């Protein structure tokens, strides 16, 4: 069976943890697509969030991983893309609920607030937890169908 390709990206604040998680993903048997940043030099999170989210939006990949200092900037940018549900998770429990209830297809890690060990635990929880569907199905659909204001 072909390996699942998972893109991963960070800004400078998430760089070290990204390197660690990319290695963990490879060991877990995934094909990692590292779309930057490629050094700890200061950079802008949106420059990495948009290209990764576009891959998910186009259906080129099923899911992706982003990291920045708080996880917030990355999630704001990624969530502007249709069909992208980027969830900031700082515990394995939140990562699991983001999958079960929200069908999160992008995991966002607050790199300045989680250890390497916790980062791997959060990653594994998100990778291995399925969407529950059922009552959550209609709720998730409503995210993309916000009522339009009358002109
Ligand atoms: C970079 O200093 C920091 O602002 C960024 O990584 C992120 O936390 C933004 O949301």
């Amino acid at each position: 069976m072909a390996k699942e390709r998972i893109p991963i990206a960070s800004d400078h604040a998430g760089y070290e943890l990204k390197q660690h998680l990319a290695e963990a993903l490879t060991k877990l048997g995934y094909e990692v697509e590292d779309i930057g940043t490629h050094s700890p030099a200061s950079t802008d999170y949106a420059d990495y969030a948009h290209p990764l989210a576009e891959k998910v939006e186009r259906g080129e990949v099923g899911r992706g991983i982003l990291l920045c200092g708080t996880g917030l900037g990355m999630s704001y940018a990624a969530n502007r893309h249709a069909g992208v549900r980027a969830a900031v998770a700082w515990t394995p429990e939140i990562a699991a609920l983001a999958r079960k209830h929200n069908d999160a297809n992008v995991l966002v890690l607050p790199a300045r607030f989680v250890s390497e060990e916790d980062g791997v635990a959060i990653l594994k929880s998100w990778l291995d937890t399925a969407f529950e569907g059922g009552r959550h199905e209609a709720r998730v659909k409503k995210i993309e169908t916000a009522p339009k204001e009358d002109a």
Side-chain angles (χ1 to χ4, degrees):
M1 207 173 78
K3 288 182 178 179
E4 180 185 351
R5 180 163 55 93
I6 300 188
I8 189 167
S10 75
D11 68 357
H12 55 288
Y15 173 72
E16 297 294 342
L17 187 56
K18 171 173 70 67
Q19 300 309 102
H20 189 73
L21 295 190
E23 217 177 290
L25 277 169
T26 305
K27 282 187 189 146
L28 289 168
Y30 294 93
E31 183 193 331
V32 179
E33 185 184 2
D34 186 347
I35 56 179
T37 187
H38 298 295
S39 87
S42 184
T43 185
D44 301 333
Y45 50 83
D47 293 344
Y48 301 92
H50 288 305
L52 185 139
E54 270 164 23
K55 287 177 185 289
V56 176
E57 184 176 13
R58 286 197 300 260
E60 198 185 300
V61 293
R63 48 190 179 168
I65 299 158
L66 292 168
L67 305 94
C68 66
T70 59
L72 298 175
M74 284 292 193
S75 65
Y76 297 165
N79 279 317
R80 287 176 169 253
H81 293 259
V84 170
R85 292 175 298 278
V88 183
W90 56 96
T91 69
E93 292 77 13
I94 292 170
L97 283 169
R99 289 289 312 131
K100 285 182 192 175
H101 289 193
N102 314 114
D103 199 11
N105 50 14
V106 174
L107 171 67
V108 190
L109 283 136
R112 286 186 171 143
F113 299 89
V114 296
S115 65
E116 286 191 344
E117 192 186 347
D118 289 346
V120 173
I122 292 164
L123 173 67
K124 282 185 178 166
S125 173
W126 176 78
L127 286 171
D128 298 341
T129 306
F131 178 46
E132 272 180 6
R135 69 186 191 281
H136 301 295
E137 188 86 52
R139 292 173 184 164
V140 167
K141 276 205 182 98
K142 281 188 182 178
I143 298 170
E144 298 286 338
T145 54
K148 302 254 185 306
E149 298 260 335
D150 286 338

